[in-house]
Amino acid sequence: MNFPVTRLRRLRYNSVLRDMVSETSLSANDFVMPLFVCSGTGVSNPIHSMPGNYQLSVDLLVEECKKVVASGVRSVLLFGIPPHKDEDGSVACEHNGIVQQAIRAIKQDPATKDLYVIADVCNCEYTVHGHCGTIVDGDVENDLTLVTLGKQSVSLAEAGADMIAPSDMMDGRVGFIREELDKHGFYKTPIMAYSAKYASGFYGPFREAAESAPKFGNRATYQMNPANTNEAVREVELDIMEGADIVMVKPALSYLDVIHRVKQEFGMPVAAYNVSGEFSMVKAAEANGWIDGPRVMMEILTSIKRAGADIIITYHAMEAAEILKNRR
Ligand code: PBG
């Protein structure tokens, strides 16, 4: 049937009905809030390019986690800024590493112990050169890097991490980490793999936040070319075969097609990382009065969910959860 019998606007005149036929809905359950932990006590360094985000020492990180809980968000993703760095990221594997301390503190406080704590696994915040692994002949050496990634993962699981999320893009790391976790008895700890992680300009603000910008070159020999999607499917497929429980596409907004394709092809739980640059663009435009920030935020998050993401890692998590509370 065509017009005038069919009128698609009929379902749009009433807001109750609009909500009834809404195809996508966001929930605080979908969100993961990324947080940055640094050494010291009472430290709260604002991250200028990411308004509302801070490098927090462990004590204040726990306070921030209480706010996360109050917002209704139930999971955090932790990144560490260690007091000193080294050549191969061994500092990330120490029993008293910065993220290890943070996890123990969160798990010890009755107000935050039920937060689901995901630990990012990568070397770039821990190496003096800022690359995601061990450098040999001017490039990141894949197989040597696996060894530190495995150690870091086990150490974070020992500290109480609920989930391990490798973001380094080394070949074979999911399988290697799975084996190391299992060997140490952590067979219940899931792996969320940053499977299709692109070499992206959208990570700029994060590198200020995590002090992890590479000191030479770039990440193009390990992160993916933004032009590719068949390759993303191969990356995801390999990670699934190596034992990934959740696969991730990152960034989110410029890669909605990749999120959609990965969900369609594999039907796996898919995470999308709404990265720092995507957040900062919204905040900057909002601060200039150029856009309605909260509205654009909700539209972006909805689009990521609509594309096929089950989990959205986003710096907007708490703000969006507060808005959802006030919606019916
Ligand atoms: C570490 C890592 C990065 C991000 C998450 N984990 C940065 C990078 O690869 O340089 C980016 C997150 C963001 O931009 O919000 N490898």
XYZ file of all heavy atoms in Angstrom, residues 244-304:
467
model
N 38.699 -14.979 22.515
C 38.091 -13.720 22.994
C 36.622 -13.974 23.345
O 35.920 -14.678 22.628
C 38.186 -12.643 21.911
N 36.197 -13.407 24.465
C 34.802 -13.552 24.885
C 33.942 -12.419 24.345
O 32.752 -12.576 24.118
C 34.736 -13.555 26.417
C 35.554 -14.702 26.984
O 35.065 -15.838 26.939
O 36.701 -14.467 27.428
N 34.563 -11.252 24.209
C 33.901 -10.067 23.670
C 34.882 -9.446 22.673
O 36.085 -9.390 22.949
C 33.597 -9.047 24.795
C 32.650 -9.675 25.833
C 33.012 -7.753 24.241
C 32.446 -8.827 27.089
N 34.374 -9.007 21.535
C 35.256 -8.358 20.562
C 34.911 -6.875 20.482
O 33.765 -6.488 20.648
C 35.168 -9.017 19.164
C 35.791 -10.396 19.203
C 33.733 -9.080 18.657
N 35.929 -6.071 20.237
C 35.723 -4.624 20.254
C 36.103 -3.973 18.928
O 37.037 -4.415 18.259
C 36.559 -3.989 21.371
C 36.168 -2.528 21.667
S 37.399 -1.634 22.596
C 37.496 -2.584 24.088
N 35.345 -2.947 18.601
C 35.692 -2.075 17.487
C 36.002 -0.712 18.087
O 35.283 -0.216 18.945
C 34.523 -1.953 16.478
C 34.855 -0.950 15.384
C 34.177 -3.316 15.887
N 37.066 -0.104 17.600
C 37.516 1.155 18.180
C 38.264 1.977 17.148
O 39.112 1.406 16.467
C 38.456 0.838 19.355
C 39.113 2.044 19.970
C 40.129 1.622 20.989
C 40.842 2.854 21.504
N 41.899 2.530 22.408
N 38.017 3.289 16.995
C 36.948 4.085 17.596
C 35.553 3.602 17.163
O 35.436 2.647 16.409
C 37.213 5.492 17.070
C 38.622 5.494 16.574
C 38.869 4.100 16.112
N 34.522 4.333 17.629
C 33.152 3.910 17.345
C 32.515 4.716 16.211
O 32.029 4.155 15.233
C 32.297 4.039 18.604
N 32.567 6.031 16.348
C 31.701 6.867 15.510
C 32.055 6.830 14.029
O 31.170 6.793 13.180
C 31.748 8.308 16.037
C 30.562 9.201 15.742
C 29.247 8.497 15.999
C 30.667 10.463 16.586
N 33.346 6.808 13.717
C 33.730 6.745 12.308
C 33.754 5.306 11.802
O 34.108 5.063 10.644
C 35.119 7.368 12.098
O 35.035 8.761 12.234
N 33.374 4.364 12.667
C 33.482 2.943 12.316
C 32.183 2.195 12.588
O 32.196 0.997 12.877
C 34.674 2.319 13.086
C 35.968 3.025 12.728
C 36.365 4.181 13.402
C 36.752 2.601 11.653
C 37.509 4.878 13.038
C 37.905 3.283 11.285
C 38.271 4.415 11.982
O 39.405 5.104 11.606
N 31.063 2.913 12.457
C 29.765 2.276 12.722
C 29.512 1.131 11.739
O 28.877 0.136 12.086
C 28.634 3.312 12.629
C 28.640 4.415 13.696
C 27.515 5.408 13.435
C 28.510 3.832 15.097
N 30.010 1.272 10.517
C 29.851 0.196 9.533
C 30.589 -1.066 9.983
O 30.128 -2.189 9.761
C 30.354 0.655 8.154
C 31.813 1.110 8.181
O 32.242 1.705 9.199
O 32.533 0.852 7.201
N 31.741 -0.860 10.632
C 32.531 -2.013 11.083
C 31.811 -2.702 12.250
O 31.713 -3.931 12.298
C 33.961 -1.581 11.493
C 34.783 -2.781 11.926
C 34.642 -0.837 10.348
N 31.270 -1.893 13.166
C 30.500 -2.447 14.286
C 29.351 -3.296 13.733
O 29.133 -4.436 14.150
C 29.919 -1.313 15.172
C 31.038 -0.511 15.831
C 28.962 -1.879 16.220
C 30.563 0.747 16.568
N 28.639 -2.724 12.773
C 27.489 -3.408 12.199
C 27.898 -4.724 11.549
O 27.289 -5.773 11.771
C 26.809 -2.488 11.179
C 25.533 -3.046 10.641
N 25.423 -3.566 9.382
C 24.316 -3.204 11.216
C 24.185 -4.010 9.201
N 23.504 -3.796 10.293
N 28.969 -4.666 10.782
C 29.400 -5.859 10.050
C 29.873 -6.952 11.003
O 29.572 -8.142 10.824
C 30.519 -5.453 9.087
C 30.808 -6.540 8.103
C 31.607 -6.068 6.912
N 32.124 -7.255 6.256
C 33.178 -7.269 5.472
N 33.833 -6.152 5.221
N 33.584 -8.396 4.934
N 30.607 -6.559 12.023
C 31.116 -7.541 12.990
C 29.948 -8.207 13.722
O 29.919 -9.429 13.894
C 32.091 -6.863 13.990
C 32.357 -7.740 15.203
C 33.402 -6.524 13.281
N 28.952 -7.408 14.110
C 27.790 -7.979 14.795
C 27.054 -8.949 13.873
O 26.691 -10.057 14.283
C 26.850 -6.852 15.253
C 25.728 -7.337 16.130
C 26.277 -7.895 17.439
C 25.205 -8.514 18.302
N 25.764 -9.055 19.546
N 26.857 -8.532 12.615
C 26.133 -9.375 11.649
C 26.872 -10.677 11.380
O 26.284 -11.742 11.352
C 25.973 -8.626 10.311
C 25.107 -7.389 10.383
C 23.648 -7.704 10.606
O 23.074 -8.539 9.928
N 23.046 -7.054 11.587
N 28.196 -10.582 11.185
C 28.947 -11.769 10.759
C 29.172 -12.774 11.874
O 29.220 -13.970 11.631
C 30.305 -11.360 10.154
C 30.097 -10.545 8.893
C 31.132 -10.804 7.803
O 31.920 -11.766 7.926
O 31.127 -10.025 6.835
N 29.330 -12.293 13.112
C 29.739 -13.224 14.173
C 28.700 -13.413 15.275
O 28.766 -14.402 16.011
C 31.070 -12.783 14.791
C 32.187 -12.735 13.793
C 32.623 -11.534 13.263
C 32.784 -13.917 13.350
C 33.639 -11.494 12.326
C 33.808 -13.884 12.410
C 34.234 -12.672 11.892
N 27.787 -12.449 15.425
C 26.793 -12.576 16.490
C 27.412 -12.697 17.874
O 26.794 -13.224 18.801
N 28.616 -12.203 18.007
C 29.309 -12.226 19.310
C 28.924 -10.962 20.090
O 28.515 -9.971 19.500
C 30.824 -12.173 19.091
C 31.441 -13.422 18.570
S 31.749 -14.618 19.883
C 33.097 -13.854 20.799
N 29.113 -10.989 21.409
C 28.996 -9.723 22.135
C 30.032 -8.730 21.576
O 31.216 -9.059 21.485
C 29.338 -10.104 23.582
C 29.065 -11.574 23.658
C 29.402 -12.115 22.300
N 29.550 -7.564 21.200
C 30.428 -6.567 20.575
C 30.499 -5.329 21.469
O 29.466 -4.815 21.913
C 29.904 -6.163 19.174
C 30.730 -5.022 18.592
C 29.917 -7.353 18.225
N 31.718 -4.885 21.713
C 31.925 -3.635 22.436
C 32.385 -2.577 21.433
O 33.042 -2.912 20.443
C 32.977 -3.808 23.526
N 32.017 -1.339 21.676
C 32.505 -0.234 20.854
C 33.096 0.807 21.786
O 32.526 1.096 22.842
C 31.366 0.374 20.055
N 34.250 1.340 21.411
C 34.906 2.351 22.238
C 34.683 3.726 21.624
O 35.240 4.044 20.585
C 36.401 2.039 22.357
C 37.105 2.685 23.543
C 38.067 1.982 24.264
C 36.828 3.984 23.944
C 38.723 2.557 25.353
C 37.476 4.563 25.020
C 38.426 3.846 25.713
O 39.087 4.431 26.778
N 33.822 4.496 22.282
C 33.549 5.884 21.911
C 34.729 6.703 22.474
O 34.704 7.129 23.614
C 32.202 6.251 22.558
C 31.759 7.688 22.383
O 31.186 8.268 23.304
N 31.969 8.262 21.235
N 35.761 6.873 21.669
C 37.070 7.287 22.207
C 37.166 8.767 22.556
O 36.252 9.562 22.277
C 38.224 6.905 21.236
C 38.258 5.397 21.003
C 38.109 7.675 19.930
N 38.339 9.105 23.113
C 38.557 10.441 23.665
C 38.255 11.562 22.681
O 37.580 12.533 23.018
C 39.996 10.549 24.173
O 40.917 10.242 23.138
N 38.758 11.457 21.455
C 38.555 12.533 20.481
C 37.092 12.739 20.135
O 36.650 13.867 19.886
N 36.332 11.651 20.135
C 34.899 11.754 19.859
C 34.210 12.514 20.996
O 33.300 13.319 20.778
C 34.280 10.359 19.722
C 34.909 9.521 18.615
C 34.394 8.074 18.631
O 33.198 7.865 18.832
O 35.207 7.161 18.461
N 34.645 12.241 22.209
C 34.126 12.923 23.394
C 34.499 14.400 23.365
O 33.653 15.288 23.531
C 34.703 12.239 24.644
C 34.413 12.939 25.947
C 33.226 12.700 26.624
C 35.336 13.818 26.512
C 32.961 13.330 27.837
C 35.079 14.442 27.720
C 33.883 14.201 28.387
N 35.784 14.670 23.098
C 36.269 16.054 23.141
C 35.596 16.931 22.086
O 35.334 18.111 22.341
C 37.787 16.083 22.939
O 38.415 15.345 23.956
N 35.319 16.373 20.927
C 34.656 17.167 19.877
C 33.275 17.632 20.344
O 32.895 18.779 20.114
C 34.505 16.340 18.591
C 35.822 16.099 17.888
S 35.633 15.530 16.185
C 34.672 14.054 16.387
N 32.562 16.736 20.998
C 31.228 17.097 21.499
C 31.349 18.184 22.555
O 30.632 19.190 22.528
C 30.504 15.854 22.086
C 29.197 16.254 22.775
C 30.243 14.823 20.994
N 32.296 17.990 23.481
C 32.454 18.957 24.576
C 32.901 20.323 24.050
O 32.463 21.363 24.552
C 33.473 18.434 25.605
C 32.963 17.242 26.391
C 31.763 17.624 27.248
C 31.083 16.413 27.850
N 29.808 16.756 28.507
N 33.785 20.329 23.065
C 34.282 21.597 22.519
C 33.171 22.341 21.789
O 32.989 23.552 21.964
C 35.468 21.340 21.581
N 32.408 21.613 20.996
C 31.323 22.263 20.256
C 30.239 22.761 21.221
O 29.677 23.842 21.040
C 30.732 21.295 19.231
N 30.008 21.977 22.261
C 29.022 22.368 23.278
C 29.483 23.645 23.986
O 28.707 24.590 24.181
C 28.857 21.220 24.288
C 27.855 21.505 25.391
C 27.766 20.363 26.414
O 28.570 19.407 26.332
O 26.887 20.438 27.290
N 30.774 23.678 24.362
C 31.313 24.836 25.082
C 31.220 26.105 24.242
O 31.086 27.200 24.767
C 32.768 24.567 25.481
N 31.275 25.941 22.929
C 31.149 27.099 22.035
C 29.706 27.472 21.752
O 29.457 28.421 21.013
C 31.866 26.805 20.712
C 33.358 27.083 20.808
O 33.764 28.236 20.958
N 34.161 26.054 20.764
N 28.783 26.684 22.281
C 27.374 26.956 22.018
C 26.950 26.548 20.608
O 25.919 27.001 20.118
N 27.730 25.688 19.974
C 27.429 25.319 18.588
C 26.462 24.143 18.481
O 25.838 23.947 17.449
C 28.731 24.955 17.843
C 29.658 26.118 17.694
C 29.324 27.451 17.705
C 31.076 26.063 17.499
N 30.451 28.220 17.539
C 31.539 27.399 17.403
C 32.000 25.028 17.377
C 32.870 27.715 17.205
C 33.335 25.326 17.180
C 33.766 26.666 17.102
N 26.416 23.313 19.509
C 25.489 22.175 19.495
C 24.856 22.044 20.877
O 25.383 22.578 21.852
C 26.188 20.828 19.147
C 27.325 20.544 20.133
C 26.675 20.790 17.709
C 27.876 19.141 20.064
N 23.769 21.304 20.937
C 23.146 20.944 22.211
C 23.868 19.675 22.672
O 23.586 18.575 22.183
C 21.645 20.715 21.952
C 20.907 20.190 23.184
O 21.555 19.708 24.134
O 19.661 20.252 23.168
N 24.837 19.851 23.583
C 25.731 18.754 23.961
C 25.034 17.473 24.394
O 25.275 16.409 23.821
N 24.153 17.544 25.425
C 23.501 16.318 25.885
C 22.698 15.624 24.780
O 22.690 14.403 24.677
C 22.583 16.817 27.014
C 23.246 18.073 27.505
C 23.861 18.696 26.289
N 22.060 16.430 23.953
C 21.258 15.834 22.877
C 22.145 15.089 21.874
O 21.847 13.965 21.458
C 20.467 16.942 22.179
C 19.632 16.405 21.062
C 18.763 17.486 20.449
N 18.098 16.912 19.286
C 17.314 17.599 18.478
N 17.097 18.876 18.704
N 16.752 17.010 17.449
N 23.244 15.733 21.501
C 24.164 15.109 20.544
C 24.803 13.869 21.169
O 24.962 12.825 20.517
C 25.235 16.125 20.091
C 26.374 15.438 19.348
C 24.596 17.199 19.213
N 25.136 13.962 22.450
C 25.706 12.803 23.161
C 24.765 11.597 23.077
O 25.189 10.493 22.716
C 25.939 13.180 24.627
C 26.240 12.016 25.528
S 26.465 12.532 27.254
C 24.775 12.768 27.783
N 23.485 11.814 23.398
C 22.535 10.697 23.394
C 22.341 10.151 21.974
O 22.182 8.950 21.778
C 21.194 11.115 24.007
C 21.266 11.509 25.484
S 22.143 10.334 26.545
C 20.814 9.189 26.944
N 22.383 11.064 21.011
C 22.220 10.623 19.617
C 23.411 9.760 19.186
O 23.241 8.725 18.527
C 22.086 11.869 18.731
C 21.705 11.588 17.304
C 21.403 12.886 16.533
O 21.010 13.902 17.155
O 21.568 12.866 15.310
N 24.598 10.179 19.581
C 25.802 9.408 19.241
C 25.757 8.023 19.901
O 25.992 6.997 19.251
C 27.065 10.176 19.679
C 27.310 11.372 18.758
C 28.286 9.239 19.703
C 28.433 12.295 19.205
N 25.419 7.995 21.184
C 25.393 6.713 21.896
C 24.326 5.790 21.303
O 24.547 4.588 21.140
C 25.169 6.940 23.396
C 26.290 7.713 24.109
C 25.894 8.037 25.549
C 27.615 6.946 24.083
N 23.183 6.376 20.954
C 22.124 5.577 20.330
C 22.599 5.001 18.995
O 22.321 3.840 18.673
C 20.852 6.437 20.122
O 20.425 6.927 21.397
C 19.730 5.626 19.483
N 23.322 5.796 18.248
C 23.785 5.322 16.932
C 24.767 4.164 17.075
O 24.775 3.235 16.271
C 24.413 6.470 16.125
O 25.685 6.824 16.627
N 25.565 4.207 18.116
C 26.542 3.129 18.349
C 25.807 1.839 18.720
O 26.123 0.751 18.219
C 27.549 3.559 19.441
C 28.390 4.752 18.960
C 28.462 2.385 19.824
C 29.223 5.410 20.050
